[in-house]
Amino acid sequence: MIFGESHGPAIGVVLEGVPAGLALDLEQVQKQLARRAGGKSALSTARKEADRVEVLSGLFEGKTTGAPLAMVIANADQHSSDYEAIRYTPRPGHGDYAGFVASKGCLDYRGGGHFSGRLTAPLVAAGAVAKQILAGRGIWAGAHISSIYGITDAALEDVEALRPVAEKEFPVLDDGRGAAMKAAILEARQAQDSVGGAIECAVVGLPAGLGAPDFGCNVEGIFAQHLFAVPAVKGVEFGAGSAFSLMRGSEANDPFAVRDGRVVTRTNCSGGVNGGITNGMPVLFEVIMRPTPSIALPQESVDLRTGEEVEIEIKGRHDPCIVHRAVPVIEAAAALAACEVLGI
């Protein structure tokens, strides 16, 4: 359970079901949070937060106790006054209006409140714990930016190529294409606009036979539930995804083979899942991320007090693109989903 608001005193997460006896490496948690952090360049928001994790419960003498693990992250760099002008004029593309209605007008509107991308920080912290649990079973998750504004990264031919990507400030396979993506982001920023993109992620090491075709047990459904909880994710595709519509069955089917005494498939168009069950290949998927809704250009809205149509201009510090910062977030959501699939 993730809690808190963008401009509240703190944000955090409570994880239930964490196995007892895990020697939790908090520095690894901090490393994952550092990958997500903004304030590093013109490619992201100017908001700077230390994002130091404090563990409130579930950890004793460096090991998890099996009790709920509660972690909090303080908020310090808020400019709440930037949002007063849009308290009753919802920003297009944001959760402002839907949240206003759902909360009966009691929404914390500052910085997007609970709908803010700021809430991905505790998600990353939770995912960092999940990654350490998975590592003990030989399972890992890695991702890269697959595209930004139509500029595509190199094709992922070997999931092992994702390991070094995690050490890059701009997580792409091909740095040359990454430079072109950066230029597109800066161009959008100069135009007071934003751009979207996509992230490709693989979970490697999940054994065959997990999941079921049924509702609530389907592996793709479990992953999708976690991934759609990430702000800005508007689509999820497994394996070949939408490219299946361009294929024949002879192209889409993954031929079986035996390698080192293990049944594998020569291709992975199905993304490691058949019939809602893992087949032992990497669970491979791509998420589509919308452009950041907060842009400086004038936009049309409605004054919720008067019902009049109005024009708004959004102030504050916002990302011209959130895709590069979202890579560790998607990995975190994938790690949490993998734990659920494993029954942890």
Side-chain angles (χ1 to χ4, degrees), residues 92-180:
H94 269 282
D96 295 352
Y97 174 67
F100 183 89
V101 175
S103 69
K104 297 180 172 58
C106 299
L107 180 72
D108 182 347
Y109 61 91
R110 302 167 303 166
H114 190 68
F115 297 89
S116 171
R118 176 80 184 125
L119 275 294
T120 60
L123 175 58
V124 168
V129 176
K131 283 185 174 184
Q132 292 182 44
I133 296 170
L134 295 173
R137 300 175 179 233
I139 301 167
W140 60 278
H144 73 114
I145 301 168
S146 51
S147 69
I148 286 181
Y149 198 51
I151 303 167
T152 59
D153 193 13
L156 179 64
E157 298 179 353
D158 183 354
V159 292
E160 288 296 323
L162 294 174
R163 290 188 186 271
V165 169
E167 304 299 323
K168 294 184 178 183
E169 184 176 349
F170 199 79
V172 290
L173 299 170
D174 185 323
D175 293 333
R177 300 188 189 193

Side-chain angles (χ1 to χ4, degrees), residues 21-333:
L22 174 68
L24 186 60
D25 187 341
L26 290 176
E27 285 306 308
Q28 282 299 315
V29 177
Q30 291 299 153
K31 182 178 180 179
Q32 294 300 316
L33 283 166
R35 294 175 64 202
R36 191 211 71 94
K40 299 175 183 177
S41 70
L43 297 174
S44 60
T45 175
R47 181 173 179 175
K48 294 183 179 181
E49 296 282 2
D51 283 350
R52 296 299 303 181
V53 171
E54 180 184 359
V55 179
L56 300 183
S57 68
L59 189 69
F60 183 67
E61 296 181 341
K63 293 185 177 181
T64 54
T65 65
L69 183 68
M71 299 183 288
V72 295
I73 301 169
N75 287 327
D77 187 18
Q78 306 104 313
H79 291 180
S80 298
S81 60
D82 290 339
Y83 296 89
E84 185 62 37
I86 59 170
R87 181 170 187 172
Y88 298 107
T89 50
R91 296 166 294 176
H94 269 282
D96 295 352
Y97 174 67
F100 183 89
V101 175
S103 69
K104 297 180 172 58
C106 299
L107 180 72
D108 182 347
Y109 61 91
R110 302 167 303 166
H114 190 68
F115 297 89
S116 171
R118 176 80 184 125
L119 275 294
T120 60
L123 175 58
V124 168
V129 176
K131 283 185 174 184
Q132 292 182 44
I133 296 170
L134 295 173
R137 300 175 179 233
I139 301 167
W140 60 278
H144 73 114
I145 301 168
S146 51
S147 69
I148 286 181
Y149 198 51
I151 303 167
T152 59
D153 193 13
L156 179 64
E157 298 179 353
D158 183 354
V159 292
E160 288 296 323
L162 294 174
R163 290 188 186 271
V165 169
E167 304 299 323
K168 294 184 178 183
E169 184 176 349
F170 199 79
V172 290
L173 299 170
D174 185 323
D175 293 333
R177 300 188 189 193
M181 294 179 191
K182 290 179 183 179
I185 295 172
L186 294 175
E187 183 179 346
R189 187 185 191 96
Q190 185 66 28
Q192 299 184 314
D193 216 329
S194 63
V195 291
I199 295 170
E200 186 179 31
C201 181
V203 178
V204 185
L206 283 172
L210 301 173
D214 311 302
F215 176 81
C217 303
N218 182 288
V219 170
E220 290 149 319
I222 290 171
F223 270 82
Q225 280 282 88
H226 286 269
L227 294 166
F228 278 119
V230 178
V233 170
K234 300 301 288 184
V236 179
E237 297 186 349
F238 288 86
S242 58
F244 275 123
S245 66
L246 306 174
M247 295 179 176
R248 291 186 175 184
S250 55
E251 300 170 300
N253 292 342
D254 299 311
F256 287 106
V258 176
R259 292 178 185 164
D260 300 323
R262 187 172 72 92
V263 175
V264 298
T265 58
R266 296 188 185 278
T267 56
N268 194 17
C269 291
S270 292
V273 183
N274 294 120
I277 301 171
T278 56
N279 64 18
M281 297 298 288
V283 173
L284 185 68
F285 61 86
E286 185 175 53
V287 297
I288 312 303
M289 309 200 74
R290 62 164 298 141
T292 314
S294 288
I295 57 176
L297 293 172
Q299 298 182 84
E300 296 176 351
S301 185
V302 171
D303 189 319
L304 300 177
R305 296 164 296 185
T306 65
E308 295 178 337
E309 296 180 356
V310 296
E311 184 178 88
I312 64 170
E313 292 187 16
I314 300 171
K315 308 298 182 183
R317 303 162 296 173
H318 306 287
D319 294 87
C321 180
I322 52 84
V323 178
H324 55 293
R325 292 180 61 200
V327 169
V329 181
I330 297 304
E331 290 178 9

